[in-house]
Amino acid sequence: MIITPKYKRNINRILPFGLIWLIFSLIYTILERGLLGDLNFYPTSGNQYVFSRNIIAIPLLATIFGTIIGILEILYFSKWLIQASFSKKIIYKSSIYFLIIIFLLIIIFLTTANEIPAAISSEGFWLLMWGFFTDYSFLGILTYIASIILITQFYTEVSESMGTGLLSNFFLGKYNKPIEEERIFMFLDMKSSTAIAEKLGHVVYFQMLQQYFSDLSGPVIDYSGEIYQYAGDEMIISWRLEKGLKNNTCISCFFAMKDSLMDKSSAYQEKYGLTPQFKAGLHCGKVTTGEIGVLKKEIIFTGDVLNTTARIEGLCNNYNVDILISDSLTDKLDLSPYYKVKSVGRNILRGKDVQFELFTLNDHSF
């Protein structure tokens, strides 16, 4: 089975939910042991208490439940509630989770009964359950679980805002000290954005921009790219050198983004009366990567490669092409079997002393 970048990304986004629930369930199990001491039953319900069983069963159930929440958050809620405000997301999702929690607690309550079939048919058992669900013990557990749910939802929103990769880099401290690495950059800019904004009006234009970036993000995920920044109608995408070179990934991403907009062309035409198009410049080189900022921390790249890539992208209009690639990147890629590559000549970029030969291409084989 081939694990696609999108599938791998989803796994990496879901796993932290299971881990968060596992950690908090272990904390709860240990706290419960400390509170109950040598008791072998729960004072509220009278059900049997076995620490050696709970230390396995509760974390296992919590990990499964946390993973389910992760699947719901990443694969469903993030799409269904994409336009909802943070507060509405919390209310909608918390209502669903509340029902799941009640069901889960009933299951846990049943597992602590000595004989489950006999317990279900016993009136006394249901009275004990009612007493448990109306007792402060239940309210304490419910409050604890609600806190974990809020933490996981906060994690979801932060990871969506910052990007899962960026958040993990902060946690791991990967770029706490600056490091030097080689990267590929793609500067992607919408064509005729000023004219489009004037035609649509700024509010509608912004709505179109949201959809435009959303439609372009799918191919970025599929081709292992990292969205570094949005700047107006510009998107900056980055790859580690080896990842972007493998199977011409950075180039495949460009054409996949083109196809994504074309596939949704009718929807754009119907809603906005136009289909947005873009142009892009690609270049590679060394950058210094590290955390910066005090009031607001970011992981940033610094190096001449970024300025050069921006200037390469700016020349697309001069040559009336959608893509320009530097000679240093072209030499590292294996383009000729898959693309028609054409040189547009050597250029001295603004602020540079050396000439760059630039290439354009299309996705038709010879």
Side-chain angles (χ1 to χ4, degrees):
M1 177 181 176
I2 299 175
I3 299 179
T4 65
K6 184 176 181 179
Y7 186 75
K8 183 179 179 181
R9 180 175 182 267
N10 285 336
I11 291 175
N12 289 335
R13 294 168 72 197
I14 290 169
L15 285 178
F17 289 89
L19 181 61
I20 290 170
W21 278 81
L22 171 62
I23 292 170
F24 277 92
S25 67
L26 287 170
I27 293 171
Y28 170 80
T29 307
I30 293 170
L31 287 173
E32 182 184 59
R33 174 64 172 174
L35 292 171
L36 293 179
D38 295 329
L39 291 179
N40 57 4
F41 64 94
Y42 289 96
T44 304
S45 64
N47 285 349
Q48 184 182 24
Y49 168 70
V50 181
F51 175 72
S52 60
R53 179 180 63 186
N54 285 10
I55 195 66
I56 296 173
I58 292 178
L60 178 61
L61 286 170
T63 303
I64 293 171
F65 184 61
T67 304
I68 291 171
I69 287 181
I71 292 170
L72 291 173
E73 289 279 351
I74 301 304
L75 300 184
Y76 299 100
F77 291 148
S78 61
K79 296 176 183 177
W80 295 342
L81 303 174
I82 191 169
Q83 299 296 333
S85 65
F86 179 75
S87 58
K88 286 185 178 179
K89 287 180 183 179
I90 295 294
I91 292 171
Y92 295 154
K93 291 188 289 186
S94 297
S95 300
I96 295 172
Y97 293 144
F98 179 77
L99 295 176
I100 297 174
I101 287 169
I102 297 300
F103 175 76
L104 183 64
L105 288 175
I106 292 173
I107 297 298
I108 293 174
F109 193 91
L110 285 171
T111 58
T112 61
N114 293 327
E115 296 182 15
I116 295 176
I120 294 175
S121 60
S122 168
E123 182 180 351
F125 171 80
W126 290 106
L127 289 173
L128 282 172
M129 178 177 284
W130 174 253
F132 173 73
F133 279 95
T134 55
D135 189 84
Y136 280 108
S137 298
F138 168 71
L139 294 177
I141 294 172
L142 189 63
T143 302
Y144 189 80
I145 293 177
S147 300
I148 307 173
I149 287 176
L150 287 174
I151 289 171
T152 53
Q153 291 190 57
F154 180 76
Y155 168 80
T156 302
E157 295 303 314
V158 172
S159 62
E160 287 296 319
S161 298
M162 295 178 60
T164 308
L166 185 62
L167 187 60
S168 63
N169 287 332
F170 271 122
F171 279 133
L172 297 174
K174 182 177 180 180
Y175 297 116
N176 189 39
K177 293 184 179 180
I179 63 172
E180 192 175 67
E181 54 186 1
E182 282 198 273
R183 282 188 168 266
I184 297 170
F185 287 91
M186 179 195 294
F187 277 58
L188 183 147
D189 192 40
M190 184 188 292
K191 291 183 178 180
S192 306
S193 57
T194 303
I196 293 173
E198 290 175 353
K199 177 183 177 181
L200 297 179
H202 291 292
V203 174
V204 177
Y205 170 70
F206 193 88
Q207 292 172 346
M208 188 204 70
L209 205 59
Q210 288 178 314
Q211 183 177 344
Y212 167 77
F213 283 137
S214 176
D215 293 335
L216 294 180
S217 296
V220 175
I221 294 169
D222 293 338
Y223 289 91
S224 305
E226 301 171 20
I227 297 176
Y228 172 46
Q229 282 181 350
Y230 296 104
D233 57 276
E234 185 176 66
M235 176 191 286
I236 303 174
I237 306 162
S238 177
W239 292 263
R240 290 192 186 91
L241 184 65
E242 63 280 0
K243 187 174 287 188
L245 293 178
K246 186 178 181 181
N247 300 321
N248 298 318
T249 293
C250 59
I251 304 300
S252 299
C253 181
F254 171 84
F255 287 107
M257 287 191 287
K258 285 281 185 185
D259 291 341
S260 178
L261 291 185
M262 288 304 298
D263 290 342
K264 298 174 177 66
S265 177
S266 57
Y268 278 104
Q269 289 290 339
E270 181 179 343
K271 191 171 183 179
Y272 304 109
L274 55 90
T275 302
Q277 299 294 327
F278 61 83
K279 57 189 187 297
L282 289 94
H283 183 44
C284 65
K286 288 186 178 180
V287 292
T288 301
T289 311
E291 291 182 21
I292 197 169
V294 177
L295 297 179
K296 179 188 176 188
K297 283 188 176 291
E298 288 187 39
I299 294 175
I300 68 165
F301 304 113
T302 61
D304 183 65
V305 59
L306 286 98
N307 293 329
T308 302
T309 310
R311 286 163 185 163
I312 290 172
E313 182 272 316
L315 290 173
C316 287
N317 288 340
N318 293 9
Y319 295 105
N320 194 30
V321 295
D322 291 344
I323 183 172
L324 284 175
I325 312 169
S326 69
D327 50 4
S328 57
L329 178 56
T330 305
D331 291 343
K332 292 179 173 63
L333 293 164
D334 184 24
L335 297 173
S336 56
Y338 313 102
Y339 305 98
K340 291 182 179 180
V341 183
K342 177 184 177 182
S343 172
V344 299
R346 302 188 71 82
N347 290 260
I348 297 179
L349 301 178
R350 181 168 53 87
K352 306 294 176 185
D353 295 328
V354 297
Q355 289 187 333
F356 288 80
E357 186 174 10
L358 302 177
F359 297 86
T360 188
L361 49 83
N362 60 44
D363 58 348
H364 296 108
S365 302
F366 289 110

